[in-house]
């Protein structure tokens, strides 16, 4: 005869109750926005930095061999576009991460969206239709970040913290090491 004891006479807790439930990966809008902000931030900062380097006349003279549309645009405009992209890329990450003026993040994303709309129009006028899908994709994701951080999942401002400052410095160092340094090295040492 089998008896099932319903009381816990020895005060032993169930092992399942002792261990916390495993965290499951789940898709969230906030997580998607952060992922896109980081990817697009690094992409635009790196791409823009390459354009900023074209302030150098020697680099600018060789650039149209690699990117044909550079020949149709004044050097100062290319450098300006580069500055806009670098600041926009940084703006996608730092204000939201530090929570200092986080409304700058959707504004940076809106600026990058506008930049991509103008780029798509420029390429259409030049008949460079193969470049337009990239402009549309980059602009659409930037527009998604704009909407996401403006209305859907805005980030509330907070005072400056040591953690926020250290995080911002870590992002800037990562940008320098992962995007700026390789871009500078490639553009100044590789013959095209």
């Amino acid at each position: 005869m089998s008896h099932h004891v319903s009381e816990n006479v020895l005060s032993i807790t169930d092992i399942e109750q002792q261990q916390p439930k495993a965290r499951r990966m789940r898709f969230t809008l906030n997580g998607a926005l952060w992922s896109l902000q980081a990817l697009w931030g690094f992409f635009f900062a790196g791409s823009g930095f390459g354009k900023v380097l074209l302030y150098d006349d020697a680099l600018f003279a060789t650039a149209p061999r690699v990117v044909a549309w550079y020949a149709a645009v004044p050097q100062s405009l290319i450098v300006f576009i580069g500055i806009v992209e670098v600041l926009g890329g940084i703006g996608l990450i730092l204000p939201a991460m530090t929570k200092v003026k986080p409304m700058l993040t959707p504004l940076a994303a809106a600026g990058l969206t506008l930049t991509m709309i103008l780029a798509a129009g420029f390429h259409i006028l030049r008949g460079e239709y193969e470049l337009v899908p990239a402009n549309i994709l980059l602009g659409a994701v930037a527009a998604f970040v704009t909407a996401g951080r403006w209305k859907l999942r805005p980030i509330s401002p907070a005072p400056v913290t040591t953690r926020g400052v250290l995080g911002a410095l870590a992002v800037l160092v990562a940008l320098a090491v992962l995007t700026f340094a390789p871009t500078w090295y490639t553009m100044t040492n590789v013959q095209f």
Side-chain angles (χ1 to χ4, degrees), residues 44-87 115-116 119 122-123 126 128 183 187:
F44 276 111
S47 173
F49 187 70
K51 293 176 184 81
V52 170
L53 290 176
L54 296 179
Y55 76 89
D56 180 272
D57 292 332
L59 288 176
F60 181 71
T62 61
R65 284 186 275 173
V66 180
V67 181
W69 67 265
Y70 285 173
V73 178
Q75 181 179 12
S76 58
L77 181 58
I78 293 174
V79 172
F80 174 75
I81 293 167
I83 292 168
V84 167
E85 288 181 353
V86 168
L87 293 176
T115 302
M116 290 299 103
F122 172 79
H123 292 306
R126 285 183 42 89
E128 299 169 330
T183 300
M187 291 185 68

Side-chain angles (χ1 to χ4, degrees), residues 17-191:
Q17 292 173 351
Q18 289 178 351
Q19 297 175 350
K21 295 196 185 237
R23 283 187 77 169
R24 293 186 336 212
M25 289 284 292
R26 62 186 176 112
F27 178 80
T28 65
L29 179 59
N30 192 48
L33 286 168
W34 273 114
S35 297
L36 293 172
Q37 284 171 243
L39 287 171
W40 260 236
F42 273 76
F43 172 80
F44 276 111
S47 173
F49 187 70
K51 293 176 184 81
V52 170
L53 290 176
L54 296 179
Y55 76 89
D56 180 272
D57 292 332
L59 288 176
F60 181 71
T62 61
R65 284 186 275 173
V66 180
V67 181
W69 67 265
Y70 285 173
V73 178
Q75 181 179 12
S76 58
L77 181 58
I78 293 174
V79 172
F80 174 75
I81 293 167
I83 292 168
V84 167
E85 288 181 353
V86 168
L87 293 176
I90 292 170
L92 286 177
I93 302 170
L94 291 188
M97 187 182 83
T98 62
K99 297 184 179 182
V100 175
K101 304 284 186 196
M103 282 308 292
L104 291 175
T105 293
L107 291 176
L112 292 170
T113 302
L114 178 61
T115 302
M116 290 299 103
I117 290 169
L118 294 171
F122 172 79
H123 292 306
I124 289 169
L125 290 174
R126 285 183 42 89
E128 299 169 330
Y129 303 112
E130 67 279 0
L131 299 175
V132 174
N135 296 136
I136 292 171
L137 175 66
L138 291 167
V141 171
F144 176 72
V145 171
T146 301
R149 288 300 180 208
W150 195 278
K151 290 287 181 189
L152 302 174
R153 288 280 189 235
I155 295 178
S156 300
V160 177
T161 63
T162 303
R163 180 180 178 197
V165 170
L166 292 175
L169 288 174
V171 167
L172 292 174
V173 167
L175 278 170
V177 170
L178 299 174
T179 60
F180 298 159
T183 300
W184 171 81
Y185 180 81
T186 301
M187 291 185 68
T188 57
N189 293 305
V190 176
Q191 297 295 321

